[in-house]
Each structure stands twice: as C-alpha cells, then as structure tokens.
Amino acid sequence: MCGFTGFIDRSRLPLDSRKGVLERMTDTLSHRGPDDRGIWLDDESGIGLGHRRLAVIDLSPTGHQPMLSACGRYVLAFNGEIYNFKRIRRALEAERPVAWRGHSDTEILLQALSVWGVEKALQSVSGMFAFALWDRTERALYLARDRAGEKPLYFAWAGRTFLFGSELKALRSHPSWRGDIDRDALALYFRHNYIPAPYSIFLNCYKLLPGTVLRVPAEEAWCRPWESGAEARPPLTRNGYEYRTYWSALEVAESGLCDPFGGSPKEAVDELERLLRRAVRQQMVADVPLGAFLSGGIDSSAIVALMQAQSERPIQTFTIGFHESDFDEAKYARAVARHLGTEHTELYVSPEQARAVIPQLATIYDEPFADSSQIPTLLVSRLARERVTVALSGDGGDELFGGYNRYALGPPIWRHYRRFPRTLRRMLAKSITLLPAEIGNTIGRNAAVLLPKAYRYPQLGDKLHKYAHSLMADGPEAIYRSFVTHWETPAQLVRGAKEPPTAASHPVRNPRLFDFCSEMMYLDFITYLPDDILTKVDRATMSVGLESRMPLLDRRVIQFAWRLPPSLKLRDGWGKWPLRQVLRRYIPEYLVERPKTGFGIPLDLWLRGPLRQWAEAILDEKRLRREGFLDPVPIQKKWVEHLSGRKNWGHHLWDVLIFQAWLETSSARV
C-alpha cells in the first residue's frame, strides 16, 4: 500500500526544476508511504514519477519504487496489493527463466506487464490497486485502477502539463495547478454527499473509473480529450487517448443473472464459505502485523471469524463505540470477539474527540466528502495503527448480498405506490413528514421491545421521513434515486450549477435481466461503494499509514454473489441471508440476528449540542452570500427546523458544513 504521483510536462522546464516539483508532489503523500520515497524522471519525454512506500510485502530495498523492469522498457509506480502474486510468479517462471531481484508483488506485477502486456496482466491479477506505467518505447503512460475501485487515482490538465496521482493534494502542489471549482460537480456532491466518478470538485480533473485503463501518449498529454461535465464517462478514444474497460461490473452482473447458481441454499452457503475462506487466507499474507476492524455487524464478524479459524494465534480486532446507545455497536463487537477469542481493543468516542477530528477532514479527503461515518472510521484507523500495519474489513457485503434496507423495501413500495395517483401519494408524504423525526425515533426505540428483531428501527423517524420522499417517484429508478438523495434540488442550492449525468441518473441496464432489487445493488456497487464507502476507508486508513483489505471484494466472491438471486439474499425481512448462514457456523445465533445499525455518529444530537457553536459560525448567512457558492435561504430554513427538533436535517446540514470547512482550507492546502 502506497501513494504515487507524477506528470507529463511539455512546458520544457529545466530538469532541476522538474525534480524539485516532483519531490514536493511526492512528499504530499508521505502519510500513504512513510517507509520510503523514490522519484524517476525522463527529461526528453517530460515524464516524472514519484512514489511513497508503505512496506507490507518484501520489506527490503528490492521493493523500492518507481521500479524499472528487467528489460528496461517499463517504469512502474504502484499502489495496492496483488493477492495472487505467488500464482502469477509461478506462471511467469513456467514461460521463461526470471532473475528476480526480490519477492515483492510490485516486481511480479511489473514482470507480468512486461511479458504479457497491460491488458492480459490486468485480466490475470486479483487485488486492489492503482498504478502508473510508463512505456519508454511507445512513449506512453498507462493509468489503471482495480475492479471495485478500492484504490484511488486522479488525473488532470494544467496548461501544458498532464497530472496524475493517488490524492488531489499531490496534483495541487504542481505550480501549474489552477484548481477552479466545478459547480456542476458540487451539485452532485449535495445530492449524494460525495462526488461520483469520473467527476472531481475541480474543473479539468477526474477520477479514473474502476476496472479501466487510460493510455496517454506523451506527445498529446496536454490536449484534453473531453470537456468537464459533458459526459457521464469519458469516451473510449479521442485525440490519441485510449480509455478501455478491462473489467465490467455490468457484464459480471448480467452474466451472473443469466447463469444463476443451480444448487440448494445449503450448497450456496457452502460455496460462499469456501470462496471467502480462500479470499481471507490470501489477504492475510503480510510481512508486518495484521488485524481487522470489527463492528459487530454481519460483514466484519464473518471476516474476523474466517480469519481466526485460519490463524494459529489470536487475531487483533478493533472497534469504536459511542455513549449514545442507538449508535453503539461496540457491545456486539465485544461479544463476538470474546466468543472467537480475538485480542480485542475498543475506544469509546466522545463529542469532543469527534470535534477534534473535523478540522482535519478537509486535508484528509481533499475534496468535499460528507459521509459522517468518516469520523469513527478515522478514529478506529488510528486505534488500529498503534498495533498493526494491515487491517481487514467487511466492506462490500451490503452491496453484494442485499444488506441495505432499501433492497427489501424498494420493490414492495413501488408495487403499492403505482396503484395510487401521484396527488394522493403527495398528500400521504406530507402527512408522514408532519410527525417530527425525533418523535418517530422515540417511538421506534420504545416499540423495539415489542417487535421482531427484523422490524426494529431505532431511527424510525428518520427512516419515515426518507421514505416519504420516495412517494413522489414515477418509477423504480426514481424511487432508488430518492433513496440515495440528500438535497433534492442541488442545482438550485449551488449557484450557477447544472447537475451533470451519472450512473444513478442515467442507468445503463438490461431490463430483461435486472429486477428492481438487483438494479439497486448494481447501481450501489458502481457508485456508492467506490465513491463513498471505499473512498472513506482508503483516506482514513492511509492518513495514518494503515493498509485496509476487503475480502468480500475478491473478484470470485463478486462473481458468485451475482449468481445468487435476490430471493436467496433477502429472506424473511433479513438481508445478507447467505452471509448470515456462514456466520452462524462460527458464532451464536443471538449475535447474528439483530437489526442493522450502521457505522454512524449521533449527528443530529451533536449539532444541537456540542457542535452547535461551530456549525452556526460556518452557516452564517452573510458568509454564505459573500462566498457566492450556495443559496443561504434553504440552508437557514433547515438549520432553524433542526434546532427546534421538528425535523432531523443532520445529514443535509453536514453536507453544507463539510463543504464550508473544505472551502475554508482549500486555498491553503497542497
């Protein structure tokens, strides 16, 4: 796990100047790679590669990057882990003798790229990664990203310079960087609380989509092949660029739905357990201390159970707790750890600790990012880094196995909605929202003792308000969009903005194959998972030099998950049925069957209490008007309603607060 950056600079700066610029860009990523630094420059082509290393496999100097291939043709800067590197090494050795310098997965990947070519090598590797590969013969740069989007990769144009890197702070430290805010992308942020790929907060700057490779010829690196906000994804070719998809989530989903698993439910659980055991075993390979995040939920508990079952010593596990009972899962994590026999560490978070983290979020995440669970994720990463260098997590289980409530509620909601005229549905929605969210939450908490576990909703009021908005939907896609929307009309909130298309607003699907539930899971997999969940975890863990790994995103697990029909994933009101059955083989029933809580913070309470003074200063109407990005009227309205307790606008306000905090520091950050 590392960080890299670089440029193709056609401005003809002196070599010494380029070297100094590249060193500064590289050093902005020192948190991602505290163990080593390397740079490589070619004056004739204008290419520069910089790398910061977190040594996890092969701790010796033979893992130093940027790494030159044995044939001398290629130079590689790599971030991530190749989990099947031993198998790839054997395959390469079977073809021809190889004089290996060390045993790092970077060297094995570079040899595969050299011998097999970029396309075949990418098809062969399993792992999480992003890399920059310079071909000295073709004078072309290849940028590639892993299948699920676990590792980040940005690219941008600044004058006659093409920039790229693991984080925006590296690009922003180049002297040609301008950093004009893309108001259209900002509108997307307020809809989703994150900026979906390929967009970024800056004009002429993009995220590389998962499962893709971009080829950039040196001679045309300064020519932008598409305009900001013009398309939901870049074109395949233009101006000499080649933008190719080497792995398609859509094709995997369609293939799985066309070829469903033919065995019994028990055989499906057996196969899932086999695949997960293999993925966990592969991802437990490291030359440094290793542990796991344990929230007490289904996904993380399953990963820890499979880790402990294959370990000769207690696995180190880590969790964060809250004193507010509705948000506290630490007690469940503690019980799971006790049963499995892990070496468990927990930390209870106070509002003061959360407040201390907030000023750091803009620097850590580089662009506005308002998933409030970023705070506990950052704190648990810091806790884990005190003892380990690698931590496995359970991310990906919800999107693949139907864990979110919307998967169970969406289809029946649409079946019932379409029977009634929209006028009647609007009246019903208005009636629902007349009940203050706080009162609904109180009712949900009090009723929990009377209801079956599958139907307990501690945040009942928040759920009712959210689903009331879906009553306005004209079709299943509109219902899904209402589920994943924060601000309903973000283009009106952001002055001068026009919301650009995304996968969520313009879904590409085969209606003969995709039922509503499968469509939601697919859209979450290509949007919410990489751009929210994986972004959150990557920036939080790498800010402290901790590598995170996610066995549920093993490509074989992904392929198998899509062969399981929704009826097998959601049963009797519960999601993730196959994962639950696997987990039942390792821990008691009472630790498996409990409502999903989520890894959040008591945001609504904190904004009315310990965070109120900070929030009021940032939401000041005069300040908002002076900055000129946001319309203060709807913001002030929601703030007043939130403080009164009539409605819970915590997440909407958090979107504004995070953007304002980012804007406050963005001009000073590099």
Side-chain angles (χ1 to χ4, degrees):
M1 189 67 67
C2 309
F4 65 85
T5 188
F7 52 69
I8 301 177
D9 188 346
R10 306 296 291 179
S11 64
R12 295 304 178 188
L13 284 172
L15 182 61
D16 287 346
S17 298
R18 291 186 188 178
K19 181 180 178 182
V21 168
L22 184 57
E23 287 176 339
R24 288 193 297 274
M25 293 174 67
T26 304
D27 286 344
T28 64
L29 303 174
S30 59
H31 53 284
R32 298 186 71 96
D35 298 327
D36 189 22
R37 182 187 79 165
I39 62 170
W40 183 88
L41 286 154
D42 180 71
D43 189 39
E44 182 182 356
S45 62
I47 181 75
L49 295 172
H51 189 268
R52 293 291 315 208
R53 184 185 184 202
L54 175 65
V56 172
I57 295 176
D58 188 355
L59 310 186
S60 73
T62 60
H64 177 79
Q65 296 187 51
M67 186 178 289
L68 185 67
S69 65
C71 64
R73 175 174 174 174
Y74 300 98
V75 186
L76 177 67
F78 170 70
N79 167 31
E81 297 292 345
I82 304 300
Y83 300 128
N84 62 339
F85 69 95
K86 293 180 180 179
R87 184 188 65 78
I88 292 176
R89 176 170 175 151
R90 290 193 297 270
L92 289 167
E93 291 171 341
E95 293 185 11
R96 65 182 73 177
V98 183
W100 301 106
R101 290 165 285 184
H103 66 274
S104 72
D105 58 340
T106 305
E107 184 181 1
I108 294 167
L109 172 63
L110 180 55
Q111 180 69 10
L113 291 165
S114 302
V115 175
W116 295 339
V118 174
E119 193 77 22
K120 182 181 177 180
L122 285 170
Q123 295 290 348
S124 302
V125 299
S126 292
M128 55 174 184
F129 57 85
F131 67 71
L133 178 74
W134 175 247
D135 185 330
R136 302 172 77 181
T137 301
E138 290 185 2
R139 290 171 56 85
L141 175 72
Y142 292 85
L143 301 178
R145 194 175 177 203
D146 64 66
R147 294 170 176 84
E150 292 184 60
K151 294 293 101 187
L153 183 48
Y154 291 87
F155 59 96
W157 291 266
R160 291 176 61 82
T161 303
F162 179 80
L163 302 168
F164 56 91
S166 300
E167 295 184 15
L168 280 171
K169 55 178 61 68
L171 281 62
R172 297 183 65 208
S173 66
H174 192 280
S176 297
W177 176 265
R178 290 190 57 182
D180 297 325
I181 291 178
D182 186 340
R183 290 176 183 257
D184 295 349
L186 184 58
L188 288 176
Y189 161 77
F190 280 104
R191 178 171 295 281
H192 297 289
N193 89 346
Y194 61 85
I195 299 174
Y199 308 104
S200 86
I201 188 60
F202 297 113
L203 289 168
N204 304 321
C205 180
Y206 298 88
K207 304 179 183 82
L208 189 66
L209 290 169
T212 60
V213 57
L214 176 66
R215 181 183 180 274
V216 183
E219 287 72 17
E220 302 185 50
W222 67 90
C223 301
R224 296 197 304 274
W226 60 86
E227 294 302 319
S228 174
E231 301 179 20
R233 66 173 286 152
L236 296 180
T237 58
R238 197 179 295 170
N239 290 354
Y241 288 72
E242 294 180 18
Y243 194 98
R244 299 197 303 274
T245 299
Y246 70 87
W247 187 87
S248 167
L250 180 62
E251 291 178 4
V252 170
E254 290 182 336
S255 175
L257 292 168
C258 285
D259 181 29
F261 182 75
S264 67
K266 180 184 181 301
E267 289 171 331
V269 174
D270 291 342
E271 178 65 7
L272 177 59
E273 183 180 18
R274 184 187 71 82
L275 291 171
L276 279 177
R277 285 181 72 95
R278 175 179 177 173
V280 167
R281 183 169 60 252
Q282 277 191 333
Q283 297 191 24
M284 289 176 67
V285 175
D287 296 334
V288 292
L290 176 143
F293 297 135
L294 179 60
S295 70
I298 300 299
D299 305 332
S300 66
S301 297
I303 296 304
V304 170
L306 293 170
M307 290 176 70
Q308 193 59 71
Q310 301 178 88
S311 176
E312 297 178 353
R313 63 183 66 181
I315 295 294
Q316 295 194 65
T317 53
F318 307 90
T319 193
I320 290 291
F322 296 95
H323 297 291
E324 294 83 356
S325 59
D326 288 348
F327 294 84
D328 183 36
E329 288 197 308
K331 57 187 176 183
Y332 299 110
R334 191 182 314 124
V336 171
R338 186 183 303 116
H339 181 82
L340 295 175
T342 72
E343 184 179 330
H344 192 58
T345 304
E346 65 182 31
L347 171 69
Y348 269 79
V349 178
S350 68
E352 291 74 25
Q353 288 172 299
R355 176 69 179 88
V357 166
I358 291 171
Q360 304 165 38
L361 296 177
T363 301
I364 291 171
Y365 286 90
D366 268 338
E367 59 182 346
F369 180 81
D371 183 336
S372 61
S373 63
Q374 62 198 142
I375 292 177
T377 303
L378 178 58
L379 292 172
V380 77
S381 298
R382 290 178 177 176
L383 179 68
R385 189 62 176 93
E386 294 175 3
R387 300 194 178 187
V388 301
T389 308
V390 176
L392 273 63
S393 80
D395 294 295
D398 287 312
E399 294 80 4
L400 289 172
F401 295 98
Y404 297 129
N405 292 330
R406 56 178 167 264
Y407 302 148
L409 296 175
I413 283 176
W414 175 239
R415 283 198 301 270
H416 294 304
Y417 282 6
R418 61 185 177 184
R419 299 176 185 174
F420 303 101
R422 192 172 185 185
T423 303
L424 184 59
R425 286 188 270 142
R426 185 181 293 110
M427 292 173 58
L428 179 58
K430 189 172 182 179
S431 300
I432 292 174
T433 55
L434 287 176
L435 178 72
E438 278 300 304
I439 295 178
N441 291 341
T442 301
I443 294 173
R445 289 191 293 268
N446 294 336
V449 296
L450 305 174
L451 296 172
K453 290 181 179 179
Y455 299 97
R456 295 177 185 176
Y457 294 104
Q459 302 300 310
L460 177 63
D462 295 343
K463 297 290 185 185
L464 287 173
H465 278 241
K466 187 172 185 65
Y467 290 119
H469 293 299
S470 65
L471 286 165
M472 300 297 106
D474 293 324
E477 289 83 3
I479 289 179
Y480 171 77
R481 187 165 178 150
S482 74
F483 288 165
V484 298
T485 288
H486 279 219
W487 289 80
E488 291 185 35
T489 54
Q492 295 178 19
L493 176 69
V494 181
R495 293 177 169 176
K498 180 181 179 182
E499 195 173 353
T502 66
S505 63
H506 292 69
V508 178
R509 66 184 181 95
N510 186 335
R512 295 174 299 171
L513 297 178
F514 276 92
D515 58 275
F516 186 18
C517 183
S518 296
E519 183 177 8
M520 286 191 287
M521 283 190 276
Y522 166 71
L523 289 172
D524 280 341
F525 186 86
I526 65 171
T527 58
Y528 181 68
L529 178 65
D531 296 326
D532 186 309
I533 302 298
L534 302 183
T535 296
K536 173 185 66 180
V537 175
D538 175 80
R539 305 306 190 277
T541 54
M542 293 310 298
S543 72
V544 294
L546 176 71
E547 176 177 296
S548 60
R549 299 179 178 179
M550 301 167 188
L552 285 164
L553 294 180
D554 177 90
R555 64 172 172 173
R556 293 179 179 84
V557 175
I558 295 172
Q559 290 166 350
F560 180 71
W562 277 108
R563 296 187 65 203
L564 301 179
S567 59
L568 193 61
K569 296 177 183 179
L570 293 94
R571 285 192 166 193
D572 303 321
W574 292 100
K576 296 189 282 195
W577 185 85
L579 269 180
R580 291 175 186 273
Q581 304 316 304
V582 170
L583 186 55
R584 279 192 177 98
R585 299 176 178 182
Y586 297 90
I587 68 174
E589 178 82 6
Y590 76 93
L591 289 174
V592 178
E593 301 300 346
R594 62 183 188 82
K596 182 178 180 62
T597 302
F599 196 42
I601 63 173
L603 189 59
D604 57 328
L605 301 176
W606 288 2
L607 287 177
R608 296 188 187 105
L611 299 181
R612 177 172 177 172
Q613 185 176 0
W614 166 74
E616 284 185 329
I618 286 185
L619 299 177
D620 177 71
E621 182 175 354
K622 291 181 180 178
R623 173 177 173 171
L624 292 171
R625 292 191 183 280
R626 181 175 65 252
E627 291 166 344
F629 285 100
L630 306 179
D631 181 355
V633 175
I635 296 171
Q636 289 296 315
K637 183 175 184 292
K638 282 181 167 51
W639 179 237
V640 171
E641 290 178 343
H642 185 80
L643 290 179
S644 71
R646 295 195 304 273
K647 291 189 177 182
N648 178 9
W649 295 117
H651 293 292
H652 295 71
L653 293 167
W654 188 251
D655 297 341
V656 179
L657 291 166
I658 288 296
F659 170 67
Q660 290 297 109
W662 174 85
L663 190 63
E664 191 174 61
T665 60
S666 62
S667 60
R669 290 186 303 120
V670 292

